[in-house]
Amino acid sequence: MTHAAISLAGKRVVVIGGTSGIGFAVAKLAQELGAAVVIASRNSARIDAAVERLPGAAGDSVDLRDEASIANFFENLGEFDHLAVTANDWGSAGSGTTSDIDLAAARDSFEVRFWGALAAVKHASRNIASNGSITLTSGMLAHRPKKGALLTSTVIGAVEHMARGLAVDLAPVRVNTVCPGLTLTEHSKQMPDEVLHAAVAELPLQRSASPEEAAAAYVYSMLNAYVTGQTMPVDGGGALV
C-alpha cells in the first residue's frame, strides 16, 4: 500500500462490539485514520460510555441474538463502507468434557458468534459499499484446540469457514477474519496473572497482544482492497508452537 492508501478518510466504519476491548481499539484506530465511526453494542450504557471516550463517534444499539434488532439497526444506519464484528458472548460456550456436554447450551453458544454474525452480514450486505469490507472474529482455539474447550473451538472455526464462503458469495465486497491470540482486553485482565503468564510462556514473543495490535489487523482488512477470504492471525507466533 502506498502512504496515500493508509487512510480511511471519507469512509464510514461500523464496529459491532465496539464498546470495549478489541472492538473499541478498532473504532479508535479507524477514526484516527479519518473514518466516520459507528459503535454498536447491546448495552446502551456501554455505548454512551464508549462514545464519550471517542468524541465524534456515533453509537447505536443492536442485539445479535435478535434478527429484528439487527435488521432495524442496518435499516436506520444507511450506507456505509466497512463492518467489523468483534462482539462475543463469553458465557455461552462453556467448558467441560464431551460426555457432559449440554446440547441446549451448545446450540446457544452459536447464537452470537456465528448466527449473530451471519445475521449482521445478511442485513449489512444490503447497504454496504460494493468496494467495502466485512471482518469477522475467530480465535486461536480454532487452530489449536484445548481440552475442555470443544465448543469454543467449534464455534470460532465455523466463523472462519463462513467468512470464506461469504467472500465468494458477496464479492466484490471483501470478507475476512481476524484470529487473535490472547489479548489484554478488560475481560482477559480479570484472569489470574499465573494463568496469563502460562498462556504465553511458550510463544515466540512470550507476551499477550494489546487490543491496539489486534485492531491493526481489522483495519488492514479494510485498507487492502486485494485481500478477501483470509484468516489473519495476530497470535504472537502461537500457531508455530
Side-chain angles (χ1 to χ4, degrees):
M1 291 182 291
T2 66
H3 180 74
I6 307 176
S7 171
L8 289 170
K11 304 298 183 181
R12 195 172 186 215
V13 172
V14 181
V15 185
I16 297 180
T19 59
S20 64
I22 293 173
F24 183 81
V26 172
K28 185 173 185 293
L29 179 56
Q31 188 185 68
E32 289 172 354
L33 292 174
V37 172
V38 180
I39 292 173
S41 176
R42 183 172 61 176
N43 188 308
S44 296
R46 294 183 67 178
I47 294 169
D48 292 342
V51 170
E52 186 174 341
R53 292 169 60 199
L54 197 62
D60 199 0
S61 61
V62 63
D63 184 353
L64 289 186
R65 288 178 170 269
D66 180 356
E67 187 177 358
S69 170
I70 296 167
N72 184 65
F73 170 77
F74 282 104
E75 183 177 350
N76 292 335
L77 178 68
E79 296 181 355
F80 67 100
D81 298 281
H82 302 288
L83 170 66
V85 181
T86 64
N88 197 359
D89 185 351
W90 290 103
S92 63
S95 60
T97 63
T98 300
S99 60
D100 292 328
I101 286 176
D102 180 333
L103 291 180
R107 294 184 183 98
D108 186 65
S109 69
F110 280 81
E111 280 300 311
V112 171
R113 290 290 288 270
F114 184 83
W115 294 117
L118 179 56
V121 174
K122 170 186 173 179
H123 292 281
S125 67
R126 296 170 180 171
N127 48 351
I128 192 171
S130 61
N131 62 346
S133 74
I134 296 168
T135 310
L136 305 181
T137 304
S138 64
M140 283 308 299
L141 284 177
H143 304 273
R144 298 186 66 82
K146 292 185 177 180
K147 198 172 185 66
L150 170 65
L151 292 179
T152 300
S153 299
T154 303
V155 172
I156 58 182
V159 170
E160 293 186 2
H161 285 279
M162 176 173 68
R164 293 179 65 190
L166 289 169
V168 174
D169 204 45
L170 296 181
V173 173
R174 297 177 295 104
V175 185
N176 296 291
T177 309
V178 172
C179 180
L182 181 61
T183 305
L184 286 179
T185 63
E186 293 89 338
H187 176 82
S188 62
K189 286 179 179 178
Q190 297 174 20
M191 299 165 63
D193 286 344
E194 58 271 20
V195 174
L196 291 173
H197 292 318
V200 300
E202 301 300 320
L203 298 180
L205 298 187
Q206 295 187 329
R207 65 176 179 85
S208 306
S210 69
E212 292 74 19
E213 288 170 324
Y218 293 82
V219 173
Y220 170 81
S221 179
M222 299 174 194
L223 289 169
N224 194 320
Y226 204 60
V227 173
T228 193
Q230 302 302 307
T231 296
M232 292 173 277
V234 185
D235 64 356
L240 305 175
V241 296

